[in-house]
Amino acid sequence: MDFTITILGSASALPFSDRNPSAQALSVHGRLYLIDCGEGTQQRFRQEHLSFVKVQAVFISHIHGDHIFGLFGLLSTMSLYHRLEPLRIYAPEGFAPILGFFLSTFGQDLSFTVEHVPVAVKEPQEIYSDKVLKVSAFPLNHKIPCYGFLFTENTGEGRRPRTYAYCSDTASFPELAAWVKGVDVLYHETTYTGELAEKAVQYFHSTTADAARCASDAGVGKLLIGHYSSRVRDVKVFQQECRTIFAESYAVDDGDIISIASK
């Protein structure tokens, strides 16, 4: 039974020629869940042979363009593929007028309904559940309201559920390691290398050291890193710096498929 992450975008605000802004697809027992939706997501969907109509729900961390600019084209394409099942988008409260503009301007001919479920939590809280997956949201430390997500497999008795935590744009803060403690795989943004640490403070982002310390303190099985600054072209530098603190650190690329296994 699958529990995999497909990286649809691993750049930060400025896209690379071969790297889209943030987006990931989580596949659980044949069901698909979208996490953030930066520009170019639907093209990456095609390249990875993912279904536009099988997305169960969308989880948006925050309302910055590099995390939502791809959403509206994706919704339109879902309709062109004759999606009928309603779609819920879990996103911060500020997403409501943005979705409202899209629906009022372009949504008259959509083949399905779109519902915004506001996310506004001050500590980890379950926001979604179905027969294969539970999702909790928790606040991050960014310039605007921003949330991470913990995805926990729903399993029968006798088997430990697999877990995946997604930590989008955030400055380091002490509670985070406790909130993602012991997960099998943690994705944590590493916008900046160590030499650009002052930029991380300025823009409420994380360095390689911030992400690696969080993974180490939380005792996670594996750390995935992404959301790379365009100032650094060789992403292996991010991985090398993380591994000086947490050995099981991996710099992701667009198109990577990571299977999540219990520790």
Side-chain angles (χ1 to χ4, degrees):
M1 293 186 290
D2 66 315
F3 197 102
T4 61
I5 281 289
T6 301
I7 306 300
L8 306 173
S10 57
S12 57
L14 186 63
F16 292 63
S17 59
D18 59 348
R19 196 182 297 279
N20 290 338
S22 293
Q24 297 183 7
L26 173 65
S27 180
V28 183
H29 302 186
R31 296 187 173 205
L32 201 60
Y33 307 85
L34 180 61
I35 312 167
D36 279 340
C37 191
E39 188 176 359
T41 295
Q42 66 171 316
Q43 286 92 339
R44 197 71 72 188
F45 251 67
R46 286 187 177 278
Q47 292 164 357
E48 300 303 322
H49 306 291
L50 299 173
S51 171
F52 291 102
V53 299
K54 289 186 177 179
V55 176
Q56 303 293 310
V58 179
F59 301 91
I60 299 295
S61 62
H62 65 296
I63 313 305
H64 276 163
D66 55 325
H67 296 257
I68 64 167
F69 279 166
L71 182 58
F72 308 108
L74 181 65
L75 294 176
S76 296
T77 298
M78 286 178 172
S79 184
L80 291 172
Y81 273 85
H82 308 293
R83 179 192 177 101
L84 299 176
E85 184 181 357
L87 181 67
R88 288 184 173 181
I89 301 175
Y90 295 78
E93 294 174 321
F95 182 67
I98 299 171
L99 179 61
F101 169 78
F102 169 78
L103 292 176
S104 64
T105 308
F106 303 105
Q108 296 90 338
D109 297 323
L110 282 184
S111 62
F112 61 100
T113 59
V114 182
E115 179 186 354
H116 170 218
V117 182
V119 178
V121 301
K122 295 183 178 180
E123 59 185 16
Q125 181 177 319
E126 186 174 305
I127 60 170
Y128 176 89
S129 181
D130 63 27
K131 68 178 184 179
V132 301
L133 188 70
K134 293 184 293 187
V135 184
S136 295
F138 48 88
L140 297 174
N141 182 18
H142 198 40
K143 282 189 170 184
I144 64 172
C146 185
Y147 301 94
F149 301 105
L150 173 62
F151 301 88
T152 303
E153 181 185 25
N154 268 332
T155 61
E157 294 183 7
R159 187 166 68 84
R160 179 184 178 274
R162 291 170 285 184
T163 52
Y164 176 65
Y166 177 86
C167 296
S168 177
D169 301 18
T170 186
S172 178
F173 64 102
E175 294 86 359
L176 183 55
W179 291 347
V180 298
K181 189 172 183 62
V183 299
D184 296 314
V185 177
L186 166 67
Y187 170 84
H188 194 302
E189 67 110 320
T190 50
T191 306
Y192 298 108
T193 56
E195 67 178 2
L196 296 170
E198 75 284 351
K199 296 290 186 184
V201 174
Q202 180 181 358
Y203 295 112
F204 286 79
H205 278 291
S206 290
T207 64
T208 50
D210 293 330
R213 289 193 192 103
C214 180
S216 179
D217 291 345
V220 307
K222 181 184 294 185
L223 171 66
L224 306 180
I225 57 171
H227 200 267
Y228 313 114
S229 169
S230 60
R231 293 177 174 87
V232 183
R233 296 298 299 178
D234 182 6
V235 301
K236 292 303 180 185
V237 174
F238 294 91
Q239 179 173 286
Q240 291 163 1
E241 290 190 2
C242 283
R243 286 185 174 181
T244 64
I245 298 172
F246 188 75
E248 288 294 309
S249 298
Y250 300 89
V252 300
D253 288 312
D254 288 25
D256 284 354
I257 300 175
I258 298 98
S259 180
I260 298 174
S262 295
K263 293 191 298 178

